[in-house]
Amino acid sequence: MKAITVRPPGAGARVEDVEIEERGMKVRIIENGICGTDREIVKGLMSAATVPENYDFLVLGHEALGILEDDTDNLKRGTIVMPINRRGCNKCINCLNGRADFCETGDFVEAGIKGMHGFMREYIYDDPNYLVPVPPQIRDIAIMAQPLSDLEKSIAEMIDVQGRLHWRCMDATYGCRKMLVTGTGTIGILISMLLKTYGFDVSIANRREPTDVETRIFEEVGLKFVNTSVHRGDEKYDGVIEASGSDASVIEYAIRRLKNNGFLGLFGFTQSGTLSLSTVDLQSLVYRSISITGLINGQKPHFEMAMNHLVQWKTQYPFTTSHFITRSVNISDQKSVLNVLENRIPGEIKTKILW
Ligand code: BGC
Ligand code: ZN
Ligand code: ZN
């Protein structure tokens, strides 16, 4: 079958015919989303990227929608499904309980990333437990459910961590809690929407002015925008989520924005630089009960929550959701496919490959 392959740690991607041995229910892939991780792998910069055992290539792709071609116990043939991208080690207590996002051995696999073929191919055979049904009314934007699942998990984790104090406000909501999200890419926008949905007061930041589409999205969702190259600022937040994945200086900026008991969630993979904190800074982290948490990967409950939020948002935020998909390219147009796999389109929220 036709597939998009990579050969980590080498750079470059190919569209080629491959043979893969797999068992399970047949799913015909209809589309893939491209994310920053895919582009890192294609550039040969993602250190975790590894080929599956007994193969000398890796099929790329961890965001996919497909049509189920077999009946399963719970799902009918013809149902549109999204496969879950991380699979557990089958050894540790978290993986055995469906929480491979907290795998303890590190022996989990990730489709299209680490030791498991991804979903950028004509079809996959999979265990139905890893297939999440897509509500038909969000068919056009459902590809967002995979990145959103990572964020559903992240917010749940933040609320758990902050459960160490009285974090709800006097009115029992999160309305008095000010959150800052650094980065206005796919992740920055989705996590800001989710924080808003949970009732937080949300600001979103970049080092440049927003584009017209971004401005309208921020207005529709009710996000305040901060240009951090102008306002280095003394504004303080109850939590900062780093979603830009740029250089380490963002993390220093974020730490300085935190109120006492603040939460710093690191979602983006920092691309360069080092973080240097003085003894005074370190003492202040302790004295002020700051928590810093790495946020990664969502599992089945988070995929289901993501589908539900997309259903809600499609009605609640029509402008924003209708701008989720920036561009779709067909797999037959190989040149454009390879081009969008290497380069982010300016102003991109999500680019899709159609099969
Ligand atoms: C995926 C996550 C995954 C992470 C690390 C992200 O692009 O969305 O689910 O855990 O990459 O490989
Ligand atoms: Zn991703
Ligand atoms: Zn595990």
Side-chain angles (χ1 to χ4, degrees):
M1 76 177 116
K2 199 187 267 191
I4 300 175
T5 58
V6 288
R7 285 164 173 76
R14 297 183 202 168
V15 180
E16 63 181 332
D17 259 314
V18 297
E19 258 177 58
I20 290 168
E21 238 179 273
E22 242 174 14
R23 267 179 306 183
M25 299 296 148
K26 186 171 183 182
V27 177
R28 182 167 59 80
I29 299 299
I30 50 177
E31 64 183 54
N32 298 117
I34 301 175
C35 104
T37 310
D38 299 315
R39 292 189 175 126
E40 292 288 292
I41 297 173
V42 171
K43 287 189 191 125
L45 296 176
M46 170 88 181
S47 50
T50 40
V51 300
E53 237 174 88
N54 303 324
Y55 291 87
D56 62 358
F57 63 89
L58 169 74
V59 176
L60 194 64
H62 56 279
E63 301 180 358
L65 298 183
I67 298 180
L68 192 59
E69 297 214 326
D70 293 316
D71 283 320
T72 74
D73 290 346
N74 300 313
L75 298 171
K76 277 213 167 61
R77 150 169 217 230
T79 307
I80 299 177
V81 292
M82 171 170 263
I84 294 172
N85 55 309
R86 185 188 285 202
R87 312 291 167 94
C89 71
N90 267 320
K91 291 179 275 196
C92 79
I93 187 165
N94 283 296
C95 289
L96 293 172
N97 282 280
R99 292 303 301 266
D101 49 330
F102 285 119
C103 177
E104 296 186 20
T105 63
D107 294 339
F108 61 85
V109 291
E110 275 184 328
I113 300 175
K114 179 178 177 280
M116 174 182 166
H117 284 307
F119 310 134
M120 289 182 179
R121 48 179 156 137
E122 286 172 75
Y123 48 86
I124 61 171
Y125 290 90
D126 209 350
D127 175 343
N129 288 318
Y130 290 111
L131 300 174
V132 181
V134 171
Q137 68 269 40
I138 54 160
R139 158 79 181 77
D140 53 339
I141 55 167
I143 200 70
M144 305 304 277
Q146 191 285 324
L148 187 54
S149 74
D150 294 339
L151 306 172
E152 297 279 1
K153 175 275 180 72
S154 299
I155 302 239
E157 188 175 350
M158 173 181 79
I159 288 174
D160 272 356
V161 170
Q162 292 304 82
R164 65 201 173 117
L165 57 125
H166 290 278
W167 216 43
R168 283 192 188 265
C169 314
M170 300 273 200
D171 63 359
T173 72
Y174 292 113
C176 69
R177 296 298 179 193
K178 294 175 64 151
M179 296 293 305
L180 175 69
V181 174
T182 50
T184 59
T186 323
I187 299 300
I189 289 177
L190 288 178
I191 202 158
S192 300
M193 293 176 79
L194 207 48
L195 286 165
K196 250 334 245 198
T197 302
Y198 273 79
F200 288 93
D201 175 319
V202 189
S203 299
I204 185 167
N206 204 327
R207 290 171 172 153
R208 53 156 175 84
E209 282 303 302
T211 63
D212 290 345
V213 171
E214 284 167 353
T215 303
R216 288 191 59 190
I217 289 177
F218 302 159
E219 272 168 20
E220 186 179 64
V221 179
L223 307 172
K224 298 168 203 163
F225 177 77
V226 189
N227 181 337
T228 53
S229 67
V230 183
H231 303 279
R232 293 302 290 169
D234 42 19
E235 188 83 33
K236 294 279 196 271
Y237 299 89
D238 296 283
V240 180
I241 308 276
E242 174 8 47
S244 74
S246 58
D247 54 282
S249 69
V250 183
I251 298 176
E252 189 189 331
Y253 175 86
I255 289 175
R256 301 206 188 287
R257 300 279 80 73
L258 289 171
K259 292 186 187 175
N260 292 346
N261 309 318
F263 175 89
L264 171 59
L266 300 180
F267 190 89
F269 284 116
T270 306
Q271 299 288 317
S272 57
T274 37
L275 179 63
S276 79
L277 293 173
S278 67
T279 311
V280 173
D281 292 334
L282 291 168
Q283 287 180 0
S284 150
L285 291 183
V286 176
Y287 210 68
R288 302 193 304 117
S289 291
I290 300 298
S291 70
I292 302 181
T293 304
L295 304 171
I296 198 166
N297 192 258
Q299 286 294 305
K300 199 171 192 179
H302 312 111
F303 276 78
E304 289 164 350
M305 288 160 81
M307 295 292 174
N308 290 337
H309 278 131
L310 289 175
V311 169
Q312 177 186 328
W313 292 349
K314 200 167 170 178
T315 303
Q316 191 180 7
Y317 304 127
F319 179 85
T320 303
T321 50
S322 67
H323 284 78
F324 274 170
I325 310 304
T326 312
R327 190 167 161 205
S328 299
V329 290
N330 201 287
I331 188 65
S332 58
D333 179 1
Q334 253 196 61
K335 210 173 140 211
S336 304
V337 167
L338 295 177
N339 188 24
V340 291
L341 277 173
E342 270 178 35
N343 309 300
R344 183 173 186 270
I345 299 170
E348 174 186 275
I349 298 184
K350 184 58 68 189
T351 294
K352 278 184 188 181
I353 297 171
L354 306 180
W355 288 80

